């Protein structure tokens, strides 16, 4: 043998190549080749697809959440007038709680009724700060409308 | 895909859906890879299992294949990793010969050698060589098999087995010296 101490030896390599060439069994060959063919026929879930595979469930979750929020809004009694300046009686449907402006107007009416005029004026002034364009229903709150007219 | 295509071109073609490219590649590496496992594990059954595993891994990981290294190095790295994984699951774990600090150029124990008497007692030289390969320490045997079956350089062996080039060179040299020593005619 040649090249003592080397990391290559021609004679040894040549002798090794003369050894019986082994190979895997036919079953192993068939299994591997079948899998290789089958794999490229399958639709591949690419890394990009895996990266964004949260979109579908997230979309469904968002849709459900939005639907739930809309349902709650639709079913919950309105607490503010639907149109500023116009009282809407429908806000009382299904509830005994008046909407905030009406509650304040009720309170002002009560103050006037109790002859606490100064307090009524003050409450009316506060009311106007909050709802400057609100048109008070004269039929429902005639005393308040009258007090406001006197104050101007 | 042509038979003359490089390994890298074949693997890229397979990655892109050409099953015939895989078949050509498989035929190129089928025997050397199997022999690597068979001689390294000493069992055809284990060799079949490990051999099949690395091809299945290659098939599964085909989309991640990019030509950043030679395919030859890539597939033998898969083979080496699978082999080490196999050793880890064994009772004795990874053989001591894989320890980089081990003196790989030390003379192996007499019990592990083939005596010259056996070589001259009628055993064919190629059979004596296979017997001698079986008796090499695992790490040195693997380095020799990677070189001979994989046609890999010492640098490539070092890279894919994650050792220093000096360590890979020592392992190959040890294997060659030991095999030569075993096969040389006995002179009294």
């Amino acid at each position: 043998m040649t090249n003592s101490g080397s990391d290559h030896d021609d004679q040894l390599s040549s002798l090794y190549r003369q050894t019986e060439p082994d190979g895997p069994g036919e079953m192993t060959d068939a299994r591997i080749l079948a899998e290789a063919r089958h794999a490229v026929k399958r639709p591949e879930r690419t890394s990009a697809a895996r990266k964004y595979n949260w979109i579908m469930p997230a979309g469904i979750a968002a849709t459900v959440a939005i639907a739930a929020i809309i349902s709650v809004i639709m079913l919950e009694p309105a607490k503010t007038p639907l149109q500023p300046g116009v009282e809407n009686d429908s806000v009382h449907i299904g509830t005994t709680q008046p909407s905030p402006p009406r509650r304040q107007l009720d309170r002002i009416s009560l103050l006037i009724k109790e002859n606490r005029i100064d307090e009524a004026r003050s409450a009316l002034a506060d009311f106007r700060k909050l709802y400057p364009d609100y048109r008070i229903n004269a039929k429902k709150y005639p005393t308040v409308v009258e007090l406001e007219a006197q104050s101007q | 895909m042509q038979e003359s295509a490089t390994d890298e071109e074949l693997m890229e073609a397979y990655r892109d859906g050409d099953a015939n490219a895989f078949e050509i590649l498989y035929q190129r590496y089928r025997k050397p890879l199997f022999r690597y496992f068979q001689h390294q594990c000493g069992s055809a059954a284990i060799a079949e299992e490990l051999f099949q595993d690395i091809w299945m891994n290659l098939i599964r990981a085909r989309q991640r294949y990019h030509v950043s290294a030679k395919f030859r190095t890539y597939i033998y790295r898969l083979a080496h990793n699978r082999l080490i994984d196999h050793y880890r699951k064994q009772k004795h774990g990874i053989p001591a010969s894989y320890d980089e600090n081990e003196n790989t150029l030390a003379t192996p124990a007499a019990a592990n050698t083939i005596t010259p008497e056996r070589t001259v007692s009628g055993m064919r030289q190629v059979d004596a060589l296979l017997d001698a390969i079986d008796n090499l320490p695992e790490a040195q045997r693997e380095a020799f098999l990677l070189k001979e079956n994989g046609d890999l350089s010492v640098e490539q062996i070092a890279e894919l087995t994650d050792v220093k080039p000096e360590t890979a060179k020592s392992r190959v040299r040890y294997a060659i010296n030991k095999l030569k020593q075993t096969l040389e005619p006995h002179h009294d």
Side-chain angles (χ1 to χ4, degrees), chain A residues 7-8 13 19 28-29, chain B residues 14 23 26 35 48 147-148:
Chain A
D7 51 25
H8 182 74
S13 292
T19 58
T28 302
D29 283 343
Chain B
Y14 176 60
E23 207 156 320
Y26 181 72
R35 294 178 82 195
E48 293 258 359
K147 188 174 176 305
E148 293 299 331

Side-chain angles (χ1 to χ4, degrees), chain B residues 34-67:
Chain B
F34 184 79
R35 294 178 82 195
Y36 160 82
F37 279 126
Q38 192 175 25
H39 290 162
Q40 189 64 17
C41 302
S43 156
I46 295 172
E48 293 258 359
E49 182 193 333
L50 304 187
F51 174 85
Q52 183 173 304
D53 283 354
I54 63 151
W55 285 106
M56 293 301 184
N57 286 343
L58 183 73
I59 291 165
R60 276 194 291 272
R62 68 192 182 281
Q63 292 292 343
R64 295 196 294 274
Y65 177 77
H66 293 290
V67 187

Side-chain angles (χ1 to χ4, degrees), chain A residues 1-2 4-9 13 16 19 22-25 28-29 31 35-37 39-40 44, chain B residues 14 19-20 22-23 26 30-31 34-35 38-39 48 52 56 62-63 147-149 169 172-173 176 180:
Chain A
M1 304 278 173
T2 58
S4 181
S6 165
D7 51 25
H8 182 74
D9 187 283
S13 292
Y16 182 74
T19 58
D22 303 311
T28 302
D29 283 343
R31 212 162 18 235
E35 178 59 24
R37 288 194 177 279
V40 291
E44 177 69 21
Chain B
Y14 176 60
N20 291 328
F22 179 89
E23 207 156 320
Y26 181 72
R30 177 179 168 271
K31 283 185 178 176
F34 184 79
R35 294 178 82 195
Q38 192 175 25
H39 290 162
E48 293 258 359
Q52 183 173 304
M56 293 301 184
R62 68 192 182 281
Q63 292 292 343
K147 188 174 176 305
E148 293 299 331
N149 288 305
K169 187 175 248 183
V172 171
R173 281 185 175 180
I176 289 173
K180 282 165 64 180

Side-chain angles (χ1 to χ4, degrees), chain B residues 143-155:
Chain B
F144 176 79
L145 293 173
L146 286 169
K147 188 174 176 305
E148 293 299 331
N149 288 305
D151 206 16
L152 295 162
S153 68
V154 164
E155 289 73 23

Side-chain angles (χ1 to χ4, degrees), chain B residues 25-181:
Chain B
L25 203 52
Y26 181 72
Q27 290 305 330
R28 283 185 190 174
Y29 284 90
R30 177 179 168 271
K31 283 185 178 176
L33 260 176
F34 184 79
R35 294 178 82 195
Y36 160 82
F37 279 126
Q38 192 175 25
H39 290 162
Q40 189 64 17
C41 302
S43 156
I46 295 172
E48 293 258 359
E49 182 193 333
L50 304 187
F51 174 85
Q52 183 173 304
D53 283 354
I54 63 151
W55 285 106
M56 293 301 184
N57 286 343
L58 183 73
I59 291 165
R60 276 194 291 272
R62 68 192 182 281
Q63 292 292 343
R64 295 196 294 274
Y65 177 77
H66 293 290
V67 187
S68 55
K70 284 183 85 71
F71 177 80
R72 179 177 296 275
T73 315
Y74 177 75
I75 189 110
Y76 276 100
R77 179 186 280 279
L78 290 182
H80 167 76
N81 290 345
R82 184 64 189 88
L83 180 74
I84 295 299
D85 195 39
H86 163 72
Y87 283 139
R88 277 205 187 97
K89 289 174 184 165
Q90 301 305 298
K91 188 179 172 186
H92 300 294
I94 299 171
S97 60
Y98 279 97
D99 184 352
E100 277 203 71
N101 297 322
E102 184 165 283
N103 183 2
T104 54
L105 289 177
T107 305
N112 278 345
T113 64
I114 294 178
T115 61
E117 288 77 5
R118 286 183 65 191
T119 309
V120 296
S121 67
M123 185 186 279
R124 285 173 57 215
Q125 217 176 5
V126 286
D127 292 334
L129 174 61
L130 291 178
D131 208 355
I133 290 170
D134 285 348
N135 285 290
L136 288 171
E138 290 85 350
Q140 287 72 20
R141 181 168 63 224
E142 189 193 13
F144 176 79
L145 293 173
L146 286 169
K147 188 174 176 305
E148 293 299 331
N149 288 305
D151 206 16
L152 295 162
S153 68
V154 164
E155 289 73 23
Q156 288 170 318
I157 293 169
E159 183 195 331
L160 72 90
T161 56
D162 289 323
V163 295
K164 295 173 197 154
E166 301 78 42
T167 303
K169 187 175 248 183
S170 295
R171 287 175 179 175
V172 171
R173 281 185 175 180
Y174 173 96
I176 289 173
N177 288 340
K178 182 63 201 150
L179 294 174
K180 282 165 64 180
Q181 179 192 329

